């Protein structure tokens, strides 16, 4: 899913603004020896990640609280090429108490289903656009926790936003598109499907 949907776009405006500012600050002809390898990942004119290939594995979540399991299913399918059985994955996550019906998956449990299936994971807290770009450039898949209200109903959660913003939804960042430096896009696969 691209960021044409205003609700999704608003959730990533800050990340895009950070990338745009970085792009704006680039010298006209940088000396390649002076470039930071991580910053170079966000150079204009490219797509970082594999959003088109990853899109073939997209499936919407079947229950309101299964987003993290659905995201891990997408990652498993991307790496193995196998059509994973969602119900079996959901049962495995339930059996290990990583998914709780009516509650969902706690942030600290996201990735454990992948580990169970032999896929190593790394956890970041407060990752930035450079962390995303680096992981995508390494061929890794990135599951992020987001505030679903910011995605689906921007401005509707004024009270929550005033006191704190809480991640209550998971999605997969599948790419970063820097082809237009004035409109950098973060491309996501959102199992919430809105």
């Amino acid at each position: 899913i691209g960021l044409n949907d205003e609700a999704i776009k608003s959730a990533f405006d800050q990340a895009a603004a950070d990338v745009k500012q970085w792009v704006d600050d680039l010298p006209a002809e940088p000396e390649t020896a002076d470039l930071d390898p991580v910053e170079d990942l966000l150079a204009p004119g490219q797509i970082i990640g594999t959003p088109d290939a990853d899109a073939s594995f997209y499936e919407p979540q079947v229950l309101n609280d299964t987003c993290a399991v659905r995201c891990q299913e997408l990652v498993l399918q991307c790496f193995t090429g196998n059509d994973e059985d969602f119900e079996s994955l959901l049962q495995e996550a339930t059996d290990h108490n990583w998914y709780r019906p009516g509650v969902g998956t706690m942030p600290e449990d996201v990735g454990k289903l992948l580990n169970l299936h032999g896929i190593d994971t790394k956890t970041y807290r407060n990752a930035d656009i450079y962390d995303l770009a680096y992981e995508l450039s390494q061929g890794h898949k990135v599951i992020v926790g987001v505030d679903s209200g910011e995605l689906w109903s921007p401005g509707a959660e004024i009270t929550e936003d005033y006191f704190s913003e809480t991640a209550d939804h998971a999605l997969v960042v599948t790419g970063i598109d820097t082809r237009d430096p004035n409109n950098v896009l973060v491309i996501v696969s959102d199992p919430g499907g809105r």
Side-chain angles (χ1 to χ4, degrees), residues 33-114:
D34 294 334
L35 284 178
D36 180 319
V38 174
E39 289 181 358
D40 191 35
L41 292 172
L42 291 170
Q46 63 181 329
I47 295 179
I48 306 158
T50 54
D52 291 337
D54 296 349
S56 66
F57 297 108
Y58 171 80
E59 291 286 336
Q61 63 193 70
V62 293
L63 301 170
N64 287 338
D65 59 0
T66 59
C67 54
V69 176
R70 193 56 101 176
C71 288
Q72 291 174 94
E73 175 194 31
L74 182 145
V75 172
L76 271 170
Q77 291 179 159
C78 287
F79 282 119
T80 67
N82 298 331
D83 186 19
E84 300 293 335
D85 178 56
F86 177 75
E87 293 301 323
S88 296
L89 295 173
L90 189 62
Q91 188 60 54
E92 286 178 334
T94 302
D95 291 348
H96 287 88
N97 205 31
W98 300 327
Y99 165 77
R100 293 171 255 337
V103 176
T105 303
M106 297 293 104
E108 61 271 12
D109 292 328
V110 175
K112 291 183 178 176
L113 193 54
L114 295 170

Side-chain angles (χ1 to χ4, degrees), residues 16 74 101 151 176:
L74 182 145
L151 288 175
I176 300 172

Side-chain angles (χ1 to χ4, degrees), residues 4 6-7 18 29 33-34 49 80 106 112 116 133 139 169 194:
N4 296 330
E6 280 301 312
D18 291 345
E29 293 187 32
D34 294 334
T80 67
M106 297 293 104
K112 291 183 178 176
L116 182 67
H169 181 58
R194 297 189 180 157

Side-chain angles (χ1 to χ4, degrees), residues 147-168:
D147 180 350
S148 64
E150 293 295 321
L151 288 175
W152 303 328
S153 305
E157 295 185 323
I158 295 169
T159 304
E160 177 201 339
D161 291 346
Y162 181 74
F163 292 105
S164 72
E165 292 188 8
T166 304
D168 62 357

